[in-house]
Amino acid sequence: MKTFKLRKLEILEHDKQMDPYEINLLDGLIINREDEHDQWLVEAYIDKTYEDYFLKKQNQEIMIQATITKDTNEPATFITKIDSINNIGDRINVLLLGKIIDKRKSIVEELLTTLVKEGYEGNDLIRKFKKSF
């Protein structure tokens, strides 16, 4: 397992055009469990004012962006589910369990799919791909 400091946590909601909703962290960790399911555990220590929000999301998949170690790092995107919500005094601890999404891979796949649908193939496909990417 590898553990990292969680610097920033954002929720990406489909019904809000994937605009990030930042959760104000008091503290947090993110753990690469390195298990057979490639799961990550995200722990967010936050104010209790977020409790209702997370309780409503308990049985849903939640897409998040997590920035680790330094604020200047690119955020990683995850599909998660709430593992638990724990009361700690006047604060809560939310544990999210999920898988990382390789956004670069999905962007490349989407671009290639579009170009093939537009009729590009062979060397023309390669040239157009390089020009577009």
Side-chain angles (χ1 to χ4, degrees), residues 1 5 17 19 28 30 42-43 59 81 86 93-95 104-106 110 115 126 129:
M1 288 197 295
K5 173 82 171 149
Q17 286 70 47
D19 286 335
I30 184 164
V42 178
E43 177 188 12
N59 297 314
K81 282 196 168 192
N86 307 294
N93 163 306
V94 177
L95 297 176
R104 291 169 297 190
K105 181 180 175 185
S106 64
E110 189 175 310
L115 293 175
I126 293 168
F129 176 77

Side-chain angles (χ1 to χ4, degrees), residues 111-112 115 120 123-133:
L111 176 58
L112 279 173
L115 293 175
Y120 291 96
N123 288 333
D124 288 338
L125 175 61
I126 293 168
R127 274 192 290 280
K128 184 69 174 177
F129 176 77
K130 286 180 178 178
K131 190 176 180 181
S132 300
F133 198 64

Side-chain angles (χ1 to χ4, degrees), residues 43-46 48 85-94:
E43 177 188 12
Y45 181 60
I46 55 181
K48 201 170 186 123
I85 301 170
N86 307 294
N87 287 297
I88 304 173
D90 60 345
R91 310 270 165 75
I92 60 170
N93 163 306
V94 177

Side-chain angles (χ1 to χ4, degrees), residues 21-82:
Y21 168 61
E22 186 172 350
I23 302 297
N24 294 317
L25 291 173
L26 299 170
D27 204 357
L29 293 173
I30 184 164
I31 300 168
N32 181 349
R33 294 172 45 144
E34 297 180 338
D35 62 10
E36 64 275 2
H37 303 292
D38 295 322
Q39 291 185 320
W40 292 69
L41 181 67
V42 178
E43 177 188 12
Y45 181 60
I46 55 181
D47 192 87
K48 201 170 186 123
T49 57
Y50 291 105
E51 187 173 26
D52 286 343
Y53 176 82
F54 283 103
L55 286 171
K56 290 176 187 170
K57 298 283 185 184
Q58 262 190 317
N59 297 314
Q60 301 174 27
E61 285 190 333
I62 304 170
M63 186 177 292
I64 65 168
Q65 285 188 159
T67 303
I68 62 172
T69 311
K70 297 187 303 189
D71 292 332
T72 55
N73 285 343
E74 280 290 316
T77 304
F78 298 84
I79 297 287
T80 66
K81 282 196 168 192
I82 295 172

